[in-house]
Amino acid sequence: MLALPAACAPAYSGREAPRAVGGVLNLSDWDFTRDGPVELRGEWEFYWKQLLGQEDFSRGEARPPALVDVPDIWNNYDVSDGAEAGANGYATYRLRLRLPEEQATLGVRAPEQLTAYRVFLNQEHLAGAGQVGAAEDAATGRYSVAYVTVQATREAAMIVHESNYHSRYGGFRQGIQLGSPDQIRQTQVRNIGME
């Protein structure tokens, strides 16, 4: 049974997926069909105690970000003058994407987290779980995974709102996955089969 998912997995080029640097992930020369899906790993922009949308970035109203490794817990992130975030709180993550020109439609897998979160691509709400809030009484955590399809543009920004008041660890502990819609559907089928 353990060997079955590996045997059913498609063969890809084996090329190492790029990592985000300085809040930008360059996938412009990545071929999802040949190279496979990508987990959005590396340096994301991180805005502690701010829930920002694309319009805030467009107007230049966001404070300068910290750059943090994702996926990871945020408990030990340095958020200001050496102060650590701790487990409880809320934040915005942002990753600017440069996508292949020919990839018009993408599949997105937002994995289960132990906190509340919302995922946006530019201004489009893609997925989420629970209720994100700036205070404990306004937030509800939920453990859920989402698979969605989205129209892609060559330049895009993935924005994630997250809050945590119910777990001893905050932050995106598992990475968001990007691929062709078929690849993300196959991942969903394999995960359901494993469960």
Side-chain angles (χ1 to χ4, degrees):
M1 286 179 65
L2 293 174
L4 186 60
C8 295
Y12 296 118
S13 67
R15 183 178 171 202
E16 186 175 343
R19 290 179 61 85
V21 176
V24 178
L25 180 57
N26 188 353
L27 296 171
S28 58
D29 67 345
W30 187 261
D31 184 329
F32 288 101
T33 304
R34 182 189 67 225
D35 300 323
V38 172
E39 189 171 318
L40 306 182
R41 294 179 165 270
E43 292 179 335
W44 288 55
E45 296 174 6
F46 183 72
Y47 301 85
W48 181 241
K49 295 205 173 168
Q50 297 179 79
L51 296 175
L52 304 169
Q54 183 63 33
E55 64 281 358
D56 298 305
F57 295 107
S58 299
R59 290 192 300 258
E61 294 179 3
R63 294 194 306 259
L67 291 174
V68 298
D69 281 329
V70 172
D72 196 5
I73 61 171
W74 72 29
N75 295 42
N76 300 321
Y77 285 169
D78 181 359
V79 291
S80 67
D81 299 327
E84 294 179 349
N88 294 343
Y90 60 97
T92 298
Y93 293 84
R94 182 172 79 141
L95 180 65
R96 287 169 289 152
L97 298 165
R98 295 186 183 134
L99 298 168
E101 194 164 355
E102 66 280 357
Q103 190 73 42
T105 307
L106 287 170
V108 180
R109 178 182 184 268
E112 55 280 318
Q113 306 295 332
L114 297 175
T115 58
Y117 71 93
R118 295 185 300 236
V119 180
F120 302 84
L121 191 67
N122 296 328
Q123 293 183 340
E124 183 180 352
H125 179 252
L126 300 184
Q131 177 65 45
V132 175
E136 184 172 0
D137 59 359
T140 307
R142 185 164 174 235
Y143 193 73
S144 177
V145 62
Y147 302 87
V148 295
T149 301
V150 65
Q151 292 301 117
T153 55
R154 189 159 168 75
E155 300 274 336
M158 183 159 286
I159 296 170
V160 178
H161 293 165
E162 183 169 346
S163 65
N164 177 56
Y165 302 97
H166 304 93
S167 171
R168 55 185 188 155
Y169 300 111
F172 240 72
R173 299 177 68 191
Q174 297 183 55
I176 296 171
Q177 194 176 49
L178 206 61
S180 72
D182 284 344
Q183 289 165 345
I184 298 303
R185 273 193 292 273
Q186 288 169 5
T187 301
Q188 181 181 18
V189 169
R190 280 198 305 272
N191 288 348
I192 290 170
M194 283 293 289
E195 289 175 11

